[in-house]
Amino acid sequence: MGKGSLVVVLLLLLSACAPIQHEMILGTERLKPSQRPVWPSLPETPRYEYIGELRGVTNFRISGDESLKTTRSWVYWLAGIDVDTGFDPERNLNLQRPVSGCVDRNGRMLVTDMGHLAVFMFDPIKGEFAIWRNALPGQPFLSPVGIAAGSDDEVFVADSELGLVARLDAQGKPVGVIGRGELKRPTGLAWNAEKRILYVADTAADQIRLYDREGKLLEIVGKGGDKDGEFNSPTHLAFARNQLYIADTLNARIQIMDEEGNFIRTLGKRGRMMGDMSRPKGVAVDGEGNIYVVESFYDHVLIFNRDGQFLMPIGGTGRRIGEFYLPNGVWLDLAGRVYVADMFNGRVIILQFLGGDG
């Protein structure tokens, strides 16, 4: 029996005796809370704490029976499999250009990636990891941008090149399509669970389109311009507290509307002072009404209170913790964690909101 055949046999025996189980890590497990970066820095009262980042397969490590680790490590080494993760290191299963994301009701973290042209699925509860590559049966994603978790464990993904929104089931399998033949360049998505409305930012058309779950067009909001209710290349969306938040990117502002698309107010203005906007992209709202805006041109996340008062920035250009390089999307989960797609650093930074006003 040759080496290759022996390795295969040993792998099969290992799998039969103890199926591989993984646990998800964020990279800060060995740090005490006092060692994690916070914002603002001491002696001010911290409002945000760095708790880790998403990278891809390197967020997972093998867990399970300690008695099998030595044998498993030896067999994996022979087979060229990463001893810590149990994955093939040659497959390049880490994020390259993360754009946006969401966290579904089951706690799964979903991230669109323009480098892989795919959706990355991280399940910290089950210790599972997957990459979803198809927008339609037989049709890979060409430019996955916005993503939203719908009802019934469905996932919506906007593909700007295909000009449609893909509807995926809980396993990432394509089950439907929205807006094909109607959308010019869809980017941002937001889901209104109560009214079961999907909001789609059509960047090239300077519009927001409202669809039902099956893809029926309900309403078209806005047109090109710089007046209230008009848009210039809208990109990212967020729906929270019965309001729709729209990154009106080339108008350098956030527009806030009600759930039917009626204008309420704007947030931000064009300028060069900290707190002003130049190229706002990602937008999100936490449980206390604080509003997060990714200022992509200056590599910051800007934080405002519910009344639109600027509170503080996080960021700056770079690769260190708390710095960004062309960030894009921002989103939150029910635990108050803030996720930032640090696109050209190939990672998603995770911060914990500690409470208080910003």
Side-chain angles (χ1 to χ4, degrees), residues 54 61 81 90 105 142 291 328 341 354 358:
L54 301 179
R61 63 187 177 192
I81 296 175
E90 299 298 321
R105 65 179 184 175
L142 297 183
I291 304 166
N328 213 296
L354 303 175

Side-chain angles (χ1 to χ4, degrees), residues 41-281:
S41 57
L42 297 172
E44 295 188 57
T45 302
R47 303 300 187 188
Y48 298 89
E49 177 186 44
Y50 172 78
I51 60 171
E53 59 187 47
L54 301 179
R55 288 278 187 176
V57 71
T58 52
N59 283 104
F60 294 84
R61 63 187 177 192
I62 297 173
S63 62
D65 192 341
E66 292 289 334
S67 64
L68 290 175
K69 281 191 174 181
T70 301
T71 303
R72 181 184 285 131
S73 297
W74 177 69
V75 175
Y76 282 2
W77 176 78
L78 285 176
I81 296 175
D82 186 274
V83 172
D84 296 317
T85 68
F87 293 95
D88 181 354
E90 299 298 321
R91 293 184 61 194
N92 187 22
L93 299 179
N94 284 326
L95 293 166
Q96 293 179 345
R97 293 290 183 265
V99 180
S100 189
C102 66
V103 178
D104 70 11
R105 65 179 184 175
N106 299 310
R108 299 188 307 172
M109 305 165 182
L110 308 173
V111 182
T112 57
D113 186 86
M114 292 288 281
H116 284 276
L117 304 181
V119 175
F120 277 53
M121 189 283 292
F122 302 81
D123 191 331
I125 298 173
K126 295 182 178 180
E128 295 178 352
F129 170 76
I131 299 178
W132 302 340
R133 300 187 183 276
N134 283 345
L136 305 169
Q139 173 61 65
F141 287 109
L142 297 183
S143 181
V145 183
I147 186 168
S151 303
D152 307 316
D153 294 331
E154 290 182 324
V155 178
F156 302 101
V157 183
D159 191 300
S160 61
E161 287 296 321
L162 291 174
L164 54 80
V165 176
R167 186 159 60 93
L168 312 179
D169 67 13
Q171 287 72 48
K173 179 181 177 181
V175 293
V177 62
I178 295 172
R180 181 162 50 181
E182 299 174 351
L183 296 165
K184 291 184 179 180
R185 191 172 182 82
T187 52
L189 298 178
W191 175 249
N192 180 340
E194 181 179 353
K195 295 292 182 67
R196 299 176 75 86
I197 295 173
L198 180 69
Y199 303 93
V200 183
D202 193 344
T203 302
D206 296 320
Q207 295 175 338
I208 308 300
R209 289 177 171 250
L210 283 61
Y211 291 91
D212 69 11
R213 173 178 171 272
E214 301 301 326
K216 178 184 177 181
L217 179 63
L218 304 175
E219 189 70 44
I220 299 175
V221 175
K223 62 179 182 179
D226 58 7
K227 298 178 182 178
D228 293 345
E230 298 178 343
F231 306 105
N232 188 355
S233 295
T235 54
H236 293 254
L237 304 177
F239 184 79
R241 305 168 73 89
N242 294 321
Q243 293 182 340
L244 179 66
Y245 296 77
I246 304 161
D248 189 8
T249 300
L250 295 188
N251 277 331
R253 64 187 181 183
I254 303 298
Q255 292 207 54
I256 303 172
M257 297 185 166
D258 67 19
E259 54 190 354
E260 281 81 32
N262 300 305
F263 175 81
I264 298 176
R265 63 188 174 98
T266 61
L267 170 69
K269 61 182 178 65
R270 192 184 306 276
R272 296 185 178 181
M273 300 294 291
M274 184 60 70
D276 291 339
M277 299 183 190
S278 179
R279 291 290 186 274
K281 290 194 174 178

Side-chain angles (χ1 to χ4, degrees), residues 30-47:
R30 295 182 180 179
L31 295 180
K32 298 178 181 179
S34 60
Q35 297 174 313
R36 298 175 183 173
V38 295
W39 295 268
S41 57
L42 297 172
E44 295 188 57
T45 302
R47 303 300 187 188

